[in-house]
Amino acid sequence: MSIRNKIRQYVDRELSDARKMRSEKNHLKEFESLERAHILGQSSTFEHVRIHYHMLAWGVRNRNYFEILGQILRLIGAAVLTPLGLIPIGNTGGSNVSPFKSMPIPSDLETKLNSLMSSRG
């Protein structure tokens, strides 16, 4: 099973949480869920690009021009660099952090990722 297929259920859960937060008009929590999805999905090119698309949409909905510009650049980077394995582990994916900075992974997400990586094959 591909990493995308393994990780998708966890990414989808975070995206579902983001939609719930959007419906509750809690835009900061919505973006936090998108960041968590990014941490989980950044090893899959498809998921990585998909999450940056959702972050771009968040920027558009919230008229956050800094986020819009940052996400356009990150969309391109995710499409080009992810297949080459050039991703900073744990990076939350928002425009408020360098796209090249590795970051600590929250313990609950690290447990999920470790489980998925150990079951590769």
Side-chain angles (χ1 to χ4, degrees):
M1 182 183 290
S2 73
I3 187 64
R4 176 179 172 229
N5 290 335
K6 289 180 179 183
I7 203 71
R8 185 167 188 143
Q9 67 178 316
Y10 299 116
V11 171
D12 284 347
R13 190 169 304 137
E14 293 297 336
L15 293 177
S16 176
D17 288 349
R19 282 189 298 277
K20 181 176 186 264
M21 291 298 106
R22 183 180 344 139
S23 73
E24 295 175 6
K25 308 245 185 283
N26 191 336
H27 306 297
L28 294 177
K29 289 286 188 187
E30 176 188 358
F31 200 79
E32 286 176 15
S33 292
L34 295 174
E35 290 176 319
R36 288 173 56 83
H38 183 268
I39 293 167
L40 290 167
Q42 68 181 352
S43 61
S44 160
T45 302
F46 180 87
E47 295 299 335
H48 199 178
V49 170
R50 179 168 79 126
I51 294 157
H52 280 296
Y53 169 80
H54 284 284
M55 289 178 155
L56 174 60
W58 182 94
V60 169
R61 280 191 306 277
N62 290 283
R63 295 188 175 106
N64 184 322
Y65 301 108
F66 180 72
E67 197 65 45
I68 293 168
L69 178 60
Q71 291 307 322
I72 291 170
L73 297 172
R74 282 163 175 77
L75 267 166
I76 296 165
V80 173
L81 300 176
T82 306
L84 302 174
L86 300 174
I87 55 168
I89 302 303
N91 188 289
T92 54
S95 294
N96 61 330
V97 298
S98 166
F100 307 107
K101 181 180 181 180
S102 291
M103 302 171 77
I105 299 172
S107 60
D108 65 315
L109 299 183
E110 187 171 36
T111 300
K112 289 175 185 174
L113 288 170
N114 287 340
S115 171
L116 291 169
M117 295 305 144
S118 67
S119 66
R120 271 193 155 166

